[in-house]
Amino acid sequence: MKQKKRILVAPLDWGLGHATRCIPIIREISEQGHEPVLAADGRAYDLLNKEFPNHQLIRLQGYRPEYHYDSMVFSMFLQSPRFLATIRKEQEILKTLIRKEHLNGVISDNRYGLSSTEIPAVFMTHQLFIRMPPGMQWMENLVNRLNHFFIKKYQSCWVPDVAGSENLSGELSHGKKISFPVEYIGMLSRLNENNAQKKYDLLALLSGPEPQRTFFENSIIRQAKELPLKTLIVQGKTEREMDQEKQQLEKIHEYPSLSENVCIVSHLTSENLNQAIAESELVVCRSGYSSLMDLAAMRKKSILIPTPGQTEQEYLAKYFTEKKYAIAQKQSAMNLREAVEKIKKTELQKIPFEGNQFQEVIRRFLETG
């Protein structure tokens, strides 16, 4: 009888995407007869608590980023001392957890301080090469040397994408040589395509660090109320508990109304989100990588609004536009009416989704150590 291993799965707390793409990883560890131990903070903690109520979940202090400036680089620079302190603290906490929780392995989604010399540890990211904004490209080499310095401490790096040309992350994870082991594990999504009857013209999925998430929400609500479109807004507030009446409404997929044509809900479980996306004609959301993998899995037309100053999302929005997978607008110039009209006139290409590789990668990981 094989040993049942306990694997720590710890996503970053920058938005919900790192946690959502860990959901298929967590499910697969369980499917293969082993025990995932979850660690998260903030809304990622709340999401995993709702998705996996029967799994052990540890509160592991996150990086808690905030975007108070249009420049992501400037915002991150101001917060870098706190981030480095969090990384050092993660290292100490992990040493304690290995002994206390009898851990046999670690899967860290973009948490830099969870490498180990005691047990196998992998780092998962779609950003092998971090991009700097215009005028600051001179910093890219330094930033990526630091990025790679931390990744090299892990036994391997998993990229949730494919190695070939039909990839979703573009230059963020392809095209340059790297000096550490990298494995492309295929695209990850907790969602599955289905042909549900259309109920909404537009589905708005809100996510990301504050206060930009709230700015995005306010703009969506203001514009959606003025459109003759049946719209559902999912706020991405996993910490908000729904009362009994609201839970009952969710079960029958009827959500509280803001106006005659706009409904809103704080958060949806994977099952209900899957259904809501299937029932929607168009999706408007951030161009975070995990959201893009979900759109690919669901074969959905989308309007992408990158978080201002977040170079990764700005690059991915441009990349998807050039590939004709989606259309994109800046948050400062967001016009839903124009976007909906444009997408009706644009022949978008189906987004490729290759998501059947990670099971074998996890099987090999579980056999190590």
Side-chain angles (χ1 to χ4, degrees):
M1 184 176 179
K2 66 179 181 181
Q3 177 194 0
K4 188 173 186 178
K5 294 188 175 180
R6 289 168 56 82
I7 307 298
L8 185 73
V9 182
L12 190 65
D13 60 318
W14 293 24
L16 292 177
H18 296 280
T20 61
R21 72 187 186 191
C22 282
I23 289 175
I25 297 281
I26 295 165
R27 289 172 178 166
E28 185 61 26
I29 292 171
S30 296
E31 284 289 318
Q32 295 194 24
H34 298 276
E35 185 177 356
V37 177
L38 315 182
D41 193 21
R43 287 175 175 159
Y45 179 98
D46 297 322
L47 181 143
L48 293 178
N49 192 35
K50 288 178 171 66
E51 293 287 336
F52 301 102
N54 297 321
H55 283 52
Q56 182 179 358
L57 176 58
I58 298 166
R59 178 80 68 176
L60 182 58
Q61 181 181 322
Y63 295 17
R64 302 175 185 178
E66 295 180 346
Y67 288 87
H68 291 295
Y69 305 93
D70 288 340
S71 170
M72 179 198 70
V73 174
F74 186 60
S75 293
M76 296 304 100
F77 174 76
L78 291 179
Q79 297 171 78
S80 58
R82 176 162 54 83
F83 296 160
L84 291 172
T86 301
I87 291 170
R88 289 193 295 270
K89 190 172 182 179
E90 283 178 332
Q91 279 279 284
E92 295 305 313
I93 291 173
L94 179 61
K95 292 176 183 177
T96 300
L97 288 176
I98 290 173
R99 295 188 297 272
K100 181 180 176 182
E101 302 298 338
H102 307 289
L103 299 177
N104 303 106
V106 179
I107 298 173
S108 168
D109 189 329
N110 272 90
R111 297 191 68 139
Y112 288 99
L114 295 180
S115 60
S116 176
T117 57
E118 300 178 53
I119 57 175
V122 296
F123 186 86
M124 187 163 73
T125 185
H126 63 277
Q127 288 196 84
L128 294 176
F129 308 105
I130 298 171
R131 298 174 70 87
M132 291 289 105
M136 302 189 72
Q137 283 90 347
W138 59 272
M139 289 183 62
E140 281 192 6
N141 184 50
L142 176 63
V143 168
N144 281 300
R145 284 176 63 184
L146 183 63
N147 183 34
H148 295 171
F149 169 79
F150 285 110
I151 298 176
K152 284 178 181 178
K153 293 177 178 291
Y154 291 79
Q155 280 73 35
S156 181
C157 178
W158 291 354
V159 176
D161 200 355
V162 295
S165 59
E166 294 298 311
N167 64 74
L168 300 186
S169 58
E171 293 178 2
L172 298 180
S173 293
H174 301 79
K176 298 179 183 178
K177 291 184 179 180
I178 39 186
S179 59
F180 48 86
V182 171
E183 193 160 10
Y184 292 88
I185 68 171
M187 300 157 192
L188 297 174
S189 177
R190 56 180 169 156
L191 307 179
N192 297 289
E193 183 182 15
N194 70 62
N195 297 316
Q197 184 176 353
K198 294 300 176 284
K199 184 173 181 179
Y200 303 104
D201 300 302
L202 184 66
L203 171 65
L205 302 177
L206 310 180
S207 63
E210 296 290 4
Q212 290 296 340
R213 192 213 62 82
T214 296
F215 296 159
F216 187 31
E217 177 180 357
N218 292 341
S219 185
I220 289 283
I221 290 173
R222 184 178 65 254
Q223 295 190 36
K225 285 181 176 180
E226 298 174 355
L227 293 175
L229 301 175
K230 182 68 173 177
T231 302
L232 174 62
I233 298 172
V234 182
Q235 295 175 295
K237 293 183 176 181
T238 56
E239 72 278 15
R240 181 176 296 174
E241 292 294 340
M242 294 179 291
D243 59 30
Q244 188 173 0
E245 180 183 2
K246 197 169 178 183
Q247 289 181 13
Q248 184 62 33
L249 288 169
E250 182 176 336
K251 289 178 182 177
I252 60 173
H253 304 294
E254 294 292 343
Y255 303 109
S257 296
L258 283 177
S259 65
E260 184 178 343
N261 64 311
V262 179
C263 299
I264 190 165
V265 65
S266 60
H267 171 68
L268 295 178
T269 62
S270 294
E271 180 182 358
N272 286 330
L273 178 62
N274 204 122
Q275 187 68 16
I277 294 176
E279 292 173 342
S280 302
E281 189 67 30
L282 299 175
V283 176
V284 57
C285 63
R286 295 299 195 193
S287 49
Y289 187 66
S290 297
S291 296
L292 299 182
M293 289 193 291
D294 286 343
L295 293 173
M298 296 293 290
R299 309 292 185 188
K300 279 295 167 181
K301 295 180 179 180
S302 60
I303 302 162
L304 304 177
I305 313 293
T307 301
Q310 191 163 330
T311 53
E312 168 225 352
Q313 290 194 15
E314 290 170 344
Y315 170 78
L316 288 171
K318 183 173 182 288
Y319 182 67
F320 267 54
T321 301
E322 291 173 346
K323 291 273 192 177
K324 295 186 177 180
Y325 293 156
I327 67 167
Q329 291 182 334
K330 291 184 178 180
Q331 182 170 294
S332 60
M334 187 179 75
N335 187 314
L336 288 180
R337 188 182 300 275
E338 288 184 3
V340 170
E341 289 302 314
K342 182 177 180 180
I343 211 166
K344 288 179 181 178
K345 300 173 184 177
T346 304
E347 186 175 347
L348 296 177
Q349 304 297 313
K350 280 193 173 182
I351 310 173
F353 185 82
E354 297 182 35
N356 57 358
Q357 301 176 25
F358 73 96
Q359 295 94 336
E360 175 61 21
V361 175
I362 290 173
R363 184 191 65 77
R364 292 200 305 269
F365 174 72
L366 291 169
E367 290 178 350
T368 63

